[in-house]
């Protein structure tokens, strides 16, 4: 009841409470952690995550296994995945043994799923470095016990790359459906030591939404996106190449020279519509004024992991070799039209990283064979990229 007192309007306590109370559903109180989402160094800026999307840091079990906390019902509804990782330094191989999954989210009308596991190496994920397991039919608790291997993984890759492990459901009538994923920084895996993981599957990271940011964050996000796109464009990985270099000192019967062994390639980029390539390798020792240093391997049909095992010899003195650059390129053979450039690498005194180290090791160890894996990129300095 409203009572007029002089010129002031008095309101009873009942009316005051009725005015300020807003009817509607009761919403949960947001926690402080909701306003500070936990992002990795490589994550992009995005909209604030809801409390259900945020998880606590992953604790370690006494045995060193990786166990993510699955307090959120949103995460446990996707299921858990168990796998092992092993990096063999001697063979430059990364082995992922996919063991089993439990409590996967039902994806089919019968309340079950047809799950399989896919692996991608980030950054640079493409069909060339995708590996996947067999499909287990009609189950939410599949057992694979299957080992997938990446060849040509250097210690530099182990430091800077991330393994994306995805669980999907096969659907013969429509597109395959995504169930959940997990991402593991490979620097957490010690060489020649098996590391066990038992993790909760998560939703993929949300896409950046500049409309939800203020001006400063929007500018930073756009700059990082442009920088990342430019980096990927200029240094796109196209596969791996295993090379063997050996400098043979001169003797009484023959002049010395460089022996180049093209062993094999792994995870090449697919250049044909059938999802494969018809690769072969070319080598040049530049500068090549007389254009007589070209060597070429045989063409291996329909494969992304060819084995060549061919050797080429360049007759050259040690002093001359110090001023040369070995250019190795991989091509896809096409009948009746220009061949497609897949990737390449240059080895010489002006190279960087693994290419420079391989060249130095060859010059220091005369008479010894030195093998090393190299990353093929789409950009090769000094090359015309024409075939």
């Amino acid at each position: 009841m409203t009572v007029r007192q002089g010129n002031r309007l008095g309101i009873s306590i009942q009316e005051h409470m009725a005015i300020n109370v807003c009817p509607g559903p009761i919403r949960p109180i947001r926690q402080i952690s909701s306003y500070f989402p936990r992002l990795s160094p490589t994550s992009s800026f995005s909209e604030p995550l809801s409390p259900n999307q945020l998880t606590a840091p992953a604790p370690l079990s006494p045995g060193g296994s990786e166990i993510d906390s699955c307090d959120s019902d949103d995460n446990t509804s996707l299921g858990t995945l168990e796998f092992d990782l092993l990096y063999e330094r001697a063979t430059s191989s990364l082995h992922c043994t996919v063991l089993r999954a439990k409590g996967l989210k039902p994806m089919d009308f019968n309340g079950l799923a047809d799950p399989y596991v896919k692996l991608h190496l980030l950054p640079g994920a493409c069909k060339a470095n995708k590996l996947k397991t067999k499909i287990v039919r009609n189950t939410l608790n599949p057992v694979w016990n299957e080992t997938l291997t990446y060849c040509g993984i250097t210690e530099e890759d182990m430091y800077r790359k991330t393994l994306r492990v995805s669980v999907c459901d096969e659907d013969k009538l429509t597109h395959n459906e995504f169930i959940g994923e997990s991402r593991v920084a490979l620097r957490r895996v010690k060489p020649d030591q098996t590391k066990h993981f038992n993790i909760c599957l998560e939703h993929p990271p949300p896409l950046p939404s500049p409309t939800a940011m203020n001006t400063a964050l929007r500018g930073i996000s756009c700059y990082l996106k442009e920088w990342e796109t430019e980096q990927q464009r200029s240094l796109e990985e196209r596969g791996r190449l295993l090379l063997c270099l050996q400098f043979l000192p001169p003797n009484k019967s023959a002049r010395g020279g460089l022996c180049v062994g093209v062993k094999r390639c792994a995870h090449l980029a697919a250049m044909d519509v059938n999802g494969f390539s018809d690769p072969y390798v070319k080598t040049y020792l530049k500068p090549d004024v007389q254009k007589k240093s070209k060597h070429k391997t045989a063409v291996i049909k329909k494969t992304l992991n060819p084995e060549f095992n061919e050797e080429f010899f360049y007759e050259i003195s040690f002093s001359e070799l110090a001023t040369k650059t070995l250019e190795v390129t991989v091509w896809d053979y096409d009948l009746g039209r220009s061949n497609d450039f897949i990737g390449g690498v240059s080895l010489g005194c002006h190279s960087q990283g693994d290419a420079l180290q391989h060249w130095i090791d060859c010059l220091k160890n005369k008479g010894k064979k030195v093998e090393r894996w190299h990353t093929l990129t789409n950009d090769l300095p000094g090359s015309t990229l024409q075939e």
Side-chain angles (χ1 to χ4, degrees), residues 118-122 162-166 178 181-183:
K118 290 193 304 182
L119 304 181
H120 285 97
L121 282 178
L122 304 174
T162 297
L163 181 66
R164 179 192 181 195
V165 186
S166 308
F178 177 84
E181 70 168 34
S182 179
R183 303 190 180 197

Side-chain angles (χ1 to χ4, degrees), residues 265 268-270 275-279 300-307 342:
C265 294
L268 292 179
F276 294 98
S277 294
D278 302 324
I300 309 297
K301 296 287 187 178
K302 292 184 180 180
T303 181
L304 300 179
N305 301 279
E307 293 190 12
I342 297 179

Side-chain angles (χ1 to χ4, degrees), residues 11-12 43 59 79 99 106 114 127 134 137 140 163 179 183 216 234 263 266 311-312 320 322 327 335 337 346 372:
I11 302 178
S12 67
S43 299
L99 301 175
D114 302 321
K127 292 183 179 180
K134 62 185 178 182
R137 303 287 180 184
L140 298 180
L163 181 66
I179 297 179
R183 303 190 180 197
S234 60
K263 297 297 183 179
E311 291 186 348
F312 308 114
E320 292 176 333
E327 184 179 291
L335 182 62
R337 56 193 181 97
S346 293
R372 188 181 286 268

Side-chain angles (χ1 to χ4, degrees), residues 278-329:
D278 302 324
Y280 67 94
V281 178
K282 293 195 304 178
T283 64
Y284 289 93
L285 198 58
K286 295 185 175 182
D288 183 19
V289 179
Q290 299 179 353
K291 298 183 179 181
K292 294 183 178 180
S293 69
K294 174 182 175 181
H295 290 287
K296 185 166 62 174
T297 68
V299 178
I300 309 297
K301 296 287 187 178
K302 292 184 180 180
T303 181
L304 300 179
N305 301 279
E307 293 190 12
F308 299 100
N309 293 318
E310 297 189 33
E311 291 186 348
F312 308 114
F313 183 76
Y314 293 99
E315 188 175 307
I316 188 173
S317 66
F318 184 81
S319 59
E320 292 176 333
L321 187 61
T323 62
K324 296 287 187 178
T325 298
L326 178 66
E327 184 179 291
V328 185
T329 54

Side-chain angles (χ1 to χ4, degrees), residues 17-319:
M17 294 297 297
I19 292 174
N20 287 309
V21 172
C22 178
I26 300 177
R27 299 180 180 179
I29 300 175
R30 301 192 69 180
Q31 300 179 356
I32 295 179
S33 59
S34 302
Y35 297 93
F36 300 93
R38 179 167 54 90
L39 300 176
S40 64
T42 58
S43 299
S44 57
F45 296 99
S46 59
E47 293 181 351
L49 303 179
S50 65
N52 290 335
Q53 290 177 298
L54 299 175
T55 57
L60 292 176
S61 69
S65 299
E66 199 70 24
I67 303 177
D68 286 3
S69 63
C70 297
D71 298 334
S72 170
D73 293 336
D74 193 37
N75 280 340
T76 55
S77 64
L78 300 180
T80 62
L81 179 65
E82 193 173 351
F83 59 94
D84 293 334
L85 289 180
L86 171 63
Y87 175 64
E88 292 184 354
R89 178 182 290 170
T91 59
S92 299
S93 301
L94 176 64
H95 306 281
C96 178
T97 302
V98 184
L99 301 175
R100 64 185 64 86
K102 294 182 180 179
L104 294 181
K105 178 181 178 181
M107 305 298 292
D108 298 336
F109 291 110
N110 58 4
L112 301 174
D114 302 321
Y116 65 94
V117 175
K118 290 193 304 182
L119 304 181
H120 285 97
L121 282 178
L122 304 174
C126 60
K127 292 183 179 180
N129 63 34
K130 180 184 73 174
L131 300 177
K132 70 176 184 177
T133 66
K134 62 185 178 182
I135 300 171
V136 183
R137 303 287 180 184
N138 296 324
T139 180
L140 298 180
N141 301 284
V143 177
W144 289 284
N145 288 325
E146 187 174 346
T147 300
L148 305 176
T149 301
Y150 282 104
C151 298
I153 303 299
T154 63
E155 293 188 32
E156 182 182 356
D157 294 326
M158 294 297 295
Y159 179 78
R160 67 184 182 88
K161 283 190 174 291
T162 297
L163 181 66
R164 179 192 181 195
V165 186
S166 308
V167 180
C168 301
D169 169 64
E170 190 205 36
D171 196 328
K172 294 182 178 180
L173 300 180
T174 60
H175 296 289
N176 296 344
E177 297 179 293
F178 177 84
I179 297 179
E181 70 168 34
S182 179
R183 303 190 180 197
V184 179
L186 294 183
R187 60 177 174 268
R188 298 168 59 186
V189 180
K190 297 181 179 180
D192 302 317
Q193 295 184 18
T194 301
K195 189 172 184 63
H196 182 73
F197 294 86
N198 187 10
I199 49 88
C200 289
L201 296 176
E202 302 175 351
H203 294 286
L207 296 176
S209 179
T211 57
M213 308 176 193
N214 57 33
T215 306
L217 291 182
R218 187 183 300 115
I220 295 175
S221 175
C222 294
Y223 169 79
L224 292 177
K225 184 183 294 185
E226 292 178 2
W227 179 85
E228 182 179 3
T229 303
E230 183 64 26
Q231 289 295 108
Q232 291 179 352
R233 184 184 299 112
S234 60
L235 293 176
E236 180 183 349
E237 295 185 6
R238 296 292 188 89
R240 306 299 168 99
L241 171 67
L242 179 60
L243 279 180
C244 176
L245 300 182
Q246 180 186 20
F247 179 77
L248 299 175
N251 51 41
K252 295 181 180 180
S253 60
R255 188 186 176 191
L258 177 66
C259 182
V260 180
V262 181
K263 297 297 183 179
R264 57 179 296 197
C265 294
H267 315 300
L268 292 179
M271 307 301 290
D272 298 335
V273 294
N274 59 7
F276 294 98
S277 294
D278 302 324
Y280 67 94
V281 178
K282 293 195 304 178
T283 64
Y284 289 93
L285 198 58
K286 295 185 175 182
D288 183 19
V289 179
Q290 299 179 353
K291 298 183 179 181
K292 294 183 178 180
S293 69
K294 174 182 175 181
H295 290 287
K296 185 166 62 174
T297 68
V299 178
I300 309 297
K301 296 287 187 178
K302 292 184 180 180
T303 181
L304 300 179
N305 301 279
E307 293 190 12
F308 299 100
N309 293 318
E310 297 189 33
E311 291 186 348
F312 308 114
F313 183 76
Y314 293 99
E315 188 175 307
I316 188 173
S317 66
F318 184 81
S319 59

